[in-house]
Amino acid sequence: MEPVKGGIRYALSVHQDEVEALAALMTYKCALVETPFGGSKGGLCIDPRQWDEHELEQIIRRFAYELIKRDLIHPAQNVPAPDMGTGEREMAWIADQYARMNTTDINAKACVTGKPPHAGGIQGRVEATGRGVQFALREFFRLPEDIAKANLSGGLEGKRIVVQGLGNVGYHAAKFLSEEDGAIITAIIERDGALVKDTGLAVEDVRQWIAKHGGVRGFPEAEFVEDGASVLEKTCDILIPAAMEGVIHRGNAARISAPLIIEAANGPITFGADEILREKGCVIIPDLYANAGGVTVSYFEWVKNLSHIRFGRMQRRAEESRSRLLVEELERLSADRGLGWTLAADFKEKFLTGSDELALVRSGLDDTMRTAYQAMREVWHSRPEVGDLRVAAYIVAIDRVAQTYRSKGL
Ligand code: GLU
């Protein structure tokens, strides 16, 4: 499948085996959420906090230059995106580097996703992975049978959540779940330690504190725990590892008490830990599904770049006038028959305004997360030999890859 797709990360722990494993994971992730991509990944072994902005620009431009001249960054071959340590700024530099080296390529902007909106990006990409985690949990908590498998009951409201990592993914997931779904963030684990507060942490305040002080230590009105990793074991309803791989391993898996874990990061649970957790009856919503919101919205961005038209440009006014027709007809009927019906002003406004780009992106992401979950759970519940959602996710993904090959006559 080409183009291949995946993020470029900056971390001192980056190494070839890891990048290959993450690229393979992208292959299954893309298939599971029905994006027409193969998998890829890139990594630079640097700590971005140790470099100035102009140095970071030189580093990524040089890296991009080497890849672009080999067609290893190309709208039809390999389309990178942000990952750990990289973001919109890096993607804008890559896009600019590609445009300089391919001055006549009409699809140049589609060579990378996760660009800022003013540089050809799409609304809603920054928060997409966190939003996807929220949509995944919402879908899970719509299904009593699945909730019961995790020994939980009720909805998301009031659920106690421990989040590891308040980077782009963890921050947005925790923010949306606490501000929009009534979940309680009882602990946040960061690089320098963890914050614990059973009545719930204000995610936005913690984020601001980290931006100002470089860590969570000293944040008022919460207990600080120096040994952050130990907080993974804290009693809660949902654990969201959103930092890096391998944080739940043979050494701590038996002590993890969360009945439900959603892998917002890639590969946070090792193979050994997965076995231990499964035996304990813990339900794991696997990475290839849980964090697929990022690549899903990347797909929308790539399509937008290739189509050279902004979303909704053709249909927005047509939809609006159809809605207006309906509203006017309802009002006419009510007046004609003397029924005295009036449509609520806010209903009229909502109904008459066509969807903007952000609304379309959210709707596409929500639909993707729901559809993929349904496909996985169907396999999980209907085949006794499939013991968990991870195996189910891989079965669905592999089946979709096979379908693609068949449809190409391969
Ligand atoms: N780095 C993200 C991931 O691991 C996003 C990849 C993309 O948007 O292509 O899924």
Side-chain angles (χ1 to χ4, degrees):
M1 286 287 283
E2 276 172 345
V4 287
K5 187 104 193 65
I8 292 179
R9 63 168 55 182
Y10 287 168
L12 289 175
S13 54
V14 157
H15 58 91
Q16 183 158 350
D17 284 349
E18 178 202 55
V19 171
E20 286 178 9
L22 290 165
L25 184 60
M26 287 305 302
T27 306
Y28 299 108
K29 189 186 302 184
C30 289
L32 178 65
V33 292
E34 298 176 283
T35 57
F37 303 125
S40 80
K41 205 82 181 187
L44 282 182
C45 194
I46 60 164
D47 175 358
R49 287 165 306 174
Q50 288 171 3
W51 302 88
D52 291 336
E53 187 168 22
H54 77 277
E55 290 171 322
L56 286 169
E57 179 172 356
Q58 280 181 316
I59 292 169
I60 192 83
R61 280 191 188 273
R62 181 80 175 116
F63 183 50
Y65 169 84
E66 293 298 334
L67 292 168
I68 294 164
K69 76 175 184 197
R70 294 170 175 80
D71 279 347
L72 291 173
I73 290 181
H74 185 285
Q77 305 269 78
N78 181 29
V79 182
D83 202 81
M84 255 163 68
T86 59
E88 285 188 331
R89 181 185 61 176
E90 283 70 24
M91 303 307 117
W93 284 328
I94 295 175
D96 184 68
Q97 188 64 34
Y98 184 91
R100 288 185 191 189
M101 294 168 69
N102 296 274
T103 50
T104 58
D105 185 346
I106 195 175
N107 293 322
K109 282 200 163 61
C111 76
V112 66
T113 61
K115 303 177 291 293
H118 66 81
I122 197 167
Q123 298 293 334
R125 174 64 186 84
V126 175
E127 67 268 34
T129 315
R131 206 32 103 195
V133 171
Q134 176 194 32
F135 288 161
L137 282 174
R138 281 188 180 172
E139 184 60 4
F140 181 88
F141 278 97
R142 277 187 199 108
L143 301 156
E145 209 184 328
D146 298 21
I147 302 169
K149 285 224 183 217
N151 268 323
L152 288 166
S153 58
L156 261 173
E157 175 138 26
K159 289 286 176 294
R160 297 160 304 163
I161 300 184
V162 171
V163 186
Q164 184 191 37
L166 214 61
N168 182 43
V169 180
Y171 160 65
H172 284 110
K175 181 179 165 71
F176 298 148
L177 289 162
S178 58
E179 291 177 5
E180 298 170 12
D181 299 289
I184 305 164
I185 309 299
T186 54
I188 291 173
I189 307 166
E190 257 294 321
R191 254 179 252 266
D192 63 328
L195 295 176
V196 177
K197 187 177 181 185
D198 287 335
T199 52
L201 288 154
V203 176
E204 195 53 55
D205 294 350
V206 178
R207 174 86 162 183
Q208 302 293 337
W209 184 270
I210 298 173
K212 211 161 157 203
H213 301 90
V216 291
R217 188 191 288 268
F219 181 78
E221 290 171 52
E223 185 196 340
F224 176 74
V225 180
E226 184 110 34
D227 177 14
S230 68
V231 177
L232 286 169
E233 299 160 23
K234 182 178 158 57
T235 308
C236 63
D237 300 308
I238 307 168
L239 174 61
I240 310 185
M244 52 188 294
E245 56 259 33
V247 294
I248 301 171
H249 44 78
R250 272 187 202 282
N252 63 0
R255 294 193 304 275
I256 299 286
S257 52
L260 176 63
I261 304 180
I262 176 156
E263 296 183 316
N266 286 315
I269 300 177
T270 65
F271 178 72
D274 192 79
E275 267 177 345
I276 297 170
L277 290 167
R278 235 181 310 144
E279 266 165 41
K280 285 189 1 159
C282 171
V283 172
I284 299 168
I285 304 181
D287 47 8
L288 68 158
Y289 166 69
N291 67 37
V295 77
T296 301
V297 176
S298 275
Y299 170 44
F300 301 155
E301 179 178 334
W302 180 74
V303 168
K304 174 181 148 172
N305 294 152
L306 292 178
S307 67
H308 302 272
I309 189 167
R310 68 171 188 271
F311 279 133
R313 177 163 173 189
M314 306 263 288
Q315 63 272 43
R316 187 157 167 203
R317 298 297 163 194
E319 273 167 17
E320 232 177 78
S321 47
R322 282 173 70 87
S323 307
R324 187 169 301 282
L325 220 64
L326 184 66
V327 164
E328 284 169 2
E329 186 61 7
L330 279 172
E331 284 174 339
R332 191 190 62 76
L333 273 174
S334 161
D336 265 16
R337 310 266 158 109
L339 294 170
W341 290 350
T342 45
L343 295 171
D346 68 326
F347 164 80
K348 260 169 83 170
E349 200 192 305
K350 271 194 209 147
F351 194 69
L352 291 176
T353 348
S355 311
D356 58 9
E357 184 173 274
L358 185 59
L360 290 170
V361 163
R362 276 198 200 158
S363 129
L365 177 58
D366 194 10
D367 186 60
T368 303
M369 296 310 287
R370 288 191 201 205
T371 314
Y373 189 82
Q374 289 297 334
M376 284 181 339
R377 82 182 289 269
E378 161 77 28
V379 172
W380 185 30
H381 293 304
S382 66
R383 292 170 49 172
E385 77 279 14
V386 176
D388 63 359
L389 277 167
R390 193 188 309 279
V391 174
Y394 278 101
I395 289 176
V396 174
I398 291 166
D399 204 44
R400 291 194 169 155
V401 173
Q403 268 170 31
T404 308
Y405 273 87
R406 275 198 296 272
S407 70
K408 287 183 176 171
L410 296 164

